[in-house]
Amino acid sequence: MSDPMGKMEAAGGLAVTTGVDVNAAIARLRGEGIPAKVAAKDATLWGPEAEEEAAIRLGWVDTFIQSKELLAPLAKLRAEFHEQGIDHIALAGMGGSSLAPEVISRTLDLGISILDTTDPGQIIAELGEASLRRTAVVVSSKSGSTVETDSQRRAFEKAFEGVGITEHANRFVFVTDPGSALEALATEQGSHLFLADANVGGRYSALTAFGLVPTALAGADVAELIDQAEAFAATIGSEDDDPAVVLGAVIAAKPTITIADDGTGIVGLGDWAEQLIAESLGKNGKGTLPVVLESLSAPGSRGSDRVYATVGGSSTGLPNSGSALAMPDVVVNGPLGAQFLAWELATAYAGYLIGIDPFNQPNVTESKNNTNRILADGLPDERPHAVDGAVEIYGSHSTTVTGALGELLLDADSDNAYIAVMAYLDRIDDAEVAKLRAELADRTGAPVTWGWGPRFLHSTGQFHKGGRQTGVFLQITGEVGEDLVIPGRDYTFAGLQAAQAAGDRQALESRERPLVRLHLTDRKRGVNQLLHAVRELS
């Protein structure tokens, strides 16, 4: 790896430092005037097939200006909630509606409950009476019809009524696009309503109402985020330093980018960037695969097929290190508002370099359609190939969990292969299982991604189906202890979760990709068994 001090550009409070040789890509972007054209919202940049979509998806370039109009009404509503004893925010949202608020919440320690799940245990944990009495629910959906979000809203309505809060319309805050079903519902029942910029796609919506409403209500100084983005926006197209151009060139440089927090004040940006990059660039058999790392020392950060990026809030630009070999390939440091805009710009630039429309998501609806069909027709009749302790094995010739995992590693031993672990479990109570990512990465040279289902369907799910067809997939499902009825629907949360997992399996199987499913008949025992099994691999 080259010395990361090789190139550094800093402006608008943000610095990008890299040793990756991207001079040709930077020269192309600048020589063809791409930054200035993006700033001018030129929809023709990504080709004639992308022009119609791009024409209605470039509002994010300066949406922070419009977002200033949110500040006064949000401050007023937060004060009203405080007077009513409401001091906790639960966010029902998926993908772009939840990931930016989660980064802001984790970075500022706001304590927002992020409900981007259909696991009944995780949802039930939010519905206790003591919690409900101090909770307002932000329901975020661009389309207004997201099934997970709608299901969570229904569950909260019933739960409020169950503890005697019958006039619960005031407890709901809807964030949606103009003209959606959620706007109509908010108006009908008299709930709070914030309309987002319709010319901004979900994954680019960090600085719109989707990112700012729940976090402002939880106490974030979102005006500061807007100011940070505005300061960085002034650097777009600079002839001197333009950090987003460097970052875009780096994202497009290799098949994979690994991302870790550097510990200097920003927490969890990788999860948000993962969705932005994977859903924007993973299509037409191309794209850059993002891999989120647990720490700076996590396995799988380096390889000839990837660049290793760290992100943080420090203005120094470089982490402390006594060795050039320990340095990342690219370091991105600056305030969170600037980070959001810089990564959005960089992803748009990378799409131009790769030759991909960064604003559509042609394969996201495939698993959704499969899910809807399964909910209507019933789950497919699937029987395990073998049962090993608390784990049922599907899609493998092995009769042991260790053997099934070993098969995956063999399937991943090919050029440009990656392993995707997809866990349809409770990411709070079953968090221990996420250690599998690092364990698998430690035993293979392939990139290994981790996704909580159905959350990942709104991010890396697009890459799985539309990106390079070299993925090797491990799906983990689990028995449900206590289920939860979805009011007004003829299925439960457990039924919805199972249908989503089955629908995604069908989408992957149709591409003839290697897929093993491990079903935990006892979640705690099964998780321990999985971790023990992967550690037995050589």
Side-chain angles (χ1 to χ4, degrees):
M1 185 193 74
S2 53
D3 181 357
M5 290 297 290
K7 186 171 188 61
M8 176 177 180
E9 295 201 9
L14 184 134
V16 174
T17 309
T18 186
V20 181
D21 183 5
V22 289
N23 289 331
I26 292 171
R28 179 185 171 195
L29 290 170
R30 287 178 170 159
E32 297 176 13
I34 303 306
K37 290 177 181 178
V38 170
K41 303 180 183 178
D42 184 343
T44 68
L45 291 179
W46 299 275
E49 292 185 0
E51 185 172 348
E52 183 178 358
E53 181 80 21
I56 57 171
R57 289 292 177 262
L58 283 164
W60 54 270
V61 173
D62 58 5
T63 194
F64 49 82
I65 297 173
Q66 179 178 324
S67 292
K68 292 179 181 180
E69 299 173 3
L70 297 169
L71 299 179
L74 283 172
K76 181 175 182 291
L77 181 55
R78 175 169 162 75
E80 291 175 2
F81 280 157
H82 182 73
E83 291 176 1
Q84 298 165 23
I86 298 172
D87 62 0
H88 178 67
I89 299 298
L91 172 59
M94 298 297 297
S97 298
S98 65
L99 289 166
E102 182 172 77
V103 178
I104 299 169
S105 176
R106 292 180 66 190
T107 297
L108 301 180
D109 196 22
L110 301 177
I112 297 174
S113 294
I114 307 291
L115 287 171
D116 51 358
T117 184
T118 49
D119 189 88
Q122 195 171 330
I123 295 167
I124 289 169
E126 292 295 322
L127 302 181
E129 181 173 356
S131 176
L132 284 172
R133 293 198 177 280
R134 49 186 285 264
T135 294
V137 183
V138 178
V139 181
S140 289
S141 170
K142 183 175 175 65
S143 67
S145 59
T146 307
V147 64
E148 298 95 337
T149 303
D150 177 70
S151 299
Q152 293 153 3
R153 175 189 64 79
R154 292 167 180 269
F156 270 104
E157 282 186 349
K158 183 175 181 180
F160 280 135
E161 293 169 357
V163 298
I165 305 175
T166 54
E167 299 296 326
H168 50 65
N170 178 63
R171 296 296 188 105
F172 285 95
V173 182
F174 293 101
V175 183
T176 189
D177 274 5
S180 78
L182 274 188
E183 181 187 11
L185 178 61
T187 302
E188 176 186 342
Q189 68 183 31
S191 292
H192 307 286
L193 173 66
F194 290 88
L195 295 177
D197 187 341
N199 289 321
V200 178
R203 57 189 177 275
Y204 291 83
S205 66
L207 296 168
T208 73
F210 288 109
L212 303 181
V213 168
T215 52
L217 294 177
D221 182 0
V222 296
E224 185 177 12
L225 291 174
I226 293 172
D227 289 344
Q228 292 164 355
E230 189 164 22
F232 186 75
T235 74
I236 301 175
S238 169
E239 295 182 2
D240 299 318
D241 281 354
D242 191 345
V245 167
V246 179
L247 181 58
V250 170
I251 291 173
K254 292 191 176 181
T256 296
I257 182 170
T258 60
I259 306 171
D261 294 344
D262 72 7
T264 63
I266 291 178
V267 183
L269 188 73
D271 290 311
W272 172 81
E274 176 187 52
Q275 182 223 204
L276 177 67
I277 295 168
E279 199 170 39
S280 296
L281 304 181
K283 60 198 74 165
N284 303 337
K286 305 178 183 178
T288 302
L289 175 71
V291 176
V292 182
L293 303 173
E294 299 83 1
S295 68
L296 292 171
S297 60
S301 63
R302 303 183 187 279
S304 61
D305 62 341
R306 68 202 78 167
V307 294
Y308 171 33
T310 63
V311 295
S314 169
S315 60
T316 60
L318 288 172
N320 294 324
S321 174
S323 168
L325 293 176
M327 296 296 285
D329 297 302
V330 60
V331 176
V332 188
N333 282 90
L336 187 53
Q339 291 270 6
F340 283 140
L341 184 55
W343 284 88
E344 289 167 353
L345 287 163
T347 300
Y349 299 153
Y352 179 81
L353 292 169
I354 297 170
I356 288 175
D357 173 3
F359 306 115
N360 69 349
Q361 50 280 331
N363 305 107
V364 165
T365 59
E366 185 175 351
S367 291
K368 293 181 183 179
N369 293 338
N370 288 348
T371 295
N372 290 335
R373 185 180 65 254
I374 291 168
L375 287 172
D377 298 341
L379 289 168
D381 184 17
E382 299 172 291
R383 300 180 187 278
H385 169 74
V387 178
D388 180 9
V391 182
E392 294 178 345
I393 301 170
Y394 298 78
S396 171
H397 299 297
S398 178
T399 58
T400 68
V401 174
T402 301
L405 292 174
E407 285 183 12
L408 274 180
L409 299 194
L410 289 175
D411 286 328
D413 187 20
S414 61
D415 291 343
N416 286 324
Y418 68 93
I419 298 172
V421 188
M422 310 167 297
Y424 286 83
L425 299 169
D426 182 330
R427 71 182 179 109
I428 307 301
D429 282 357
D430 301 325
E432 189 80 0
V433 73
K435 291 180 179 179
L436 270 176
R437 194 218 68 84
E439 296 283 359
L440 287 169
D442 195 37
R443 286 157 178 80
T444 176
V448 182
T449 69
W450 180 271
W452 293 102
R455 165 186 171 117
F456 77 87
L457 292 177
H458 299 257
S459 58
T460 50
Q462 165 62 43
F463 192 100
H464 294 166
K465 289 94 173 176
R468 63 180 186 265
Q469 293 303 292
T470 58
V472 175
F473 300 93
L474 171 62
Q475 187 185 85
I476 306 170
T477 56
E479 287 296 306
V480 169
E482 181 181 0
D483 201 357
L484 182 65
V485 171
I486 302 173
R489 296 287 184 252
D490 56 3
Y491 49 84
T492 66
F493 276 100
L496 175 56
Q497 184 184 45
Q500 289 175 312
D504 199 39
R505 287 198 300 276
Q506 291 179 355
L508 296 172
E509 288 166 349
S510 71
R511 289 163 172 78
E512 300 183 347
R513 297 310 309 157
L515 171 64
V516 171
R517 174 191 172 204
L518 301 178
H519 181 75
L520 314 183
T521 55
D522 179 296
R523 291 197 183 191
K524 185 173 182 179
R525 285 177 54 218
V527 167
N528 289 335
Q529 190 177 341
L530 290 186
L531 292 173
H532 179 74
V534 75
R535 289 162 186 163
E536 288 186 334
L537 296 170
S538 58

